[in-house]
Amino acid sequence: MQRFAFQLTALALGAAGLVACSLPQGSADETPSTASIREELKASFQPKGQATLDRLDQSPLQAACSAYAMNPNDADLRKQLDALMVEQMNTVQYPADGHYLGDWKKGEKIAQTGKGKQFSDDPEKPSGGNCYACHQLSPKEIAYGNIGPSLLHYGKLRNYSPEAMKVAWAQIYNSKAFHACSTMPRFGEQGILTQAQIKDVMALLFDPKSPVNQ
């Protein structure tokens, strides 16, 4: 839900022919008309449960991505995004015990579940990953999205290597560490999934017995 709010902000301000969506909240460069549009947009949302209005506030990285979408040839923006991407990589927390894999059967349930972080969800209950909304995983599941690449045979194609596991963990934990303007949720950095849940999803990708690798 959070990233949809950011996208809506960018679309609304972009349609008005402004670059306001490139500016962080409260920027000194924000014009009166830009501030007015921002407030109008924010006023159209109402907080409900855990879905609070701070979801409409852009981080510096999100603001830079909004600006870059409208100015893809801007070299300075590209450098800014590269620097911000390094900051994102520094947020990645690898498992303290050094073990990356949990239970692939639990990982499959997490991949199938889209609950969590919405106003109608119980914040005390664990969130799901909703991985099938964007990726193909198990060949037995025919209902999957194609926004992201297919993950079929993910571990098998990478020879189940420790290096590939470390990269995959970082991508799940914070996708913006690899692609600054990725729309993939930052499952670990944003606290959507626990480390135990990420281990289970990792097992779905890398366990040789997982249906993903059959």
Side-chain angles (χ1 to χ4, degrees):
M1 180 175 180
Q2 186 178 26
R3 69 176 185 276
F4 297 146
F6 293 136
Q7 291 169 349
L8 181 57
T9 301
L11 287 171
L13 296 178
L18 301 171
V19 296
C21 50
S22 69
L23 302 172
Q25 287 294 105
S27 169
D29 297 328
E30 193 168 60
T31 66
S33 59
T34 296
S36 176
I37 291 174
R38 192 182 295 281
E39 290 306 313
E40 287 277 351
L41 180 64
K42 199 164 187 176
S44 68
F45 289 87
Q46 296 296 325
K48 191 170 184 179
Q50 62 180 324
T52 54
L53 293 183
D54 60 353
R55 298 187 178 196
L56 298 175
D57 297 335
Q58 289 186 311
S59 69
L61 176 57
Q62 290 162 333
C65 285
S66 293
Y68 189 68
M70 294 184 288
N71 301 280
N73 296 318
D74 190 316
D76 290 336
L77 274 175
R78 181 67 261 176
K79 290 180 181 178
Q80 181 183 358
L81 287 173
D82 288 342
L84 289 168
M85 204 157 50
V86 172
E87 292 181 7
Q88 296 299 303
M89 180 60 80
N90 291 334
T91 71
V92 177
Q93 296 181 13
Y94 296 96
D97 60 6
H99 298 297
Y100 287 91
L101 305 186
D103 184 336
W104 70 260
K105 293 180 181 179
K106 293 181 180 179
E108 171 68 8
K109 292 180 180 178
I110 293 169
Q112 292 278 7
T113 303
K115 291 185 177 180
K117 305 302 181 182
Q118 301 175 91
F119 76 89
S120 55
D121 294 322
D122 184 347
E124 299 301 320
K125 293 183 179 180
S127 300
N130 203 23
C131 307
Y132 279 104
C134 298
H135 302 282
Q136 178 187 26
L137 289 110
S138 170
K140 295 181 180 179
E141 175 57 75
I142 61 173
Y144 58 85
N146 57 10
I147 297 174
S150 171
L151 303 180
L152 189 63
H153 302 151
Y154 191 89
K156 187 176 183 179
L157 291 172
R158 291 161 178 78
N159 297 314
Y160 310 105
S161 75
E163 295 79 9
M165 289 185 189
K166 186 174 182 179
V167 171
W169 178 279
Q171 288 179 318
I172 294 170
Y173 196 94
N174 188 348
S175 63
K176 290 185 181 295
F178 295 86
H179 304 286
C181 300
S182 170
T183 56
M184 178 175 169
R186 292 167 284 167
F187 289 106
E189 196 270 337
Q190 289 289 296
I192 300 170
L193 298 179
T194 65
Q195 283 211 3
Q197 286 180 303
I198 296 176
K199 285 186 177 185
D200 292 337
V201 173
M202 286 284 294
L204 181 64
L205 294 175
F206 281 98
D207 192 321
K209 297 179 181 178
S210 165
V212 169
N213 294 308
Q214 299 307 308

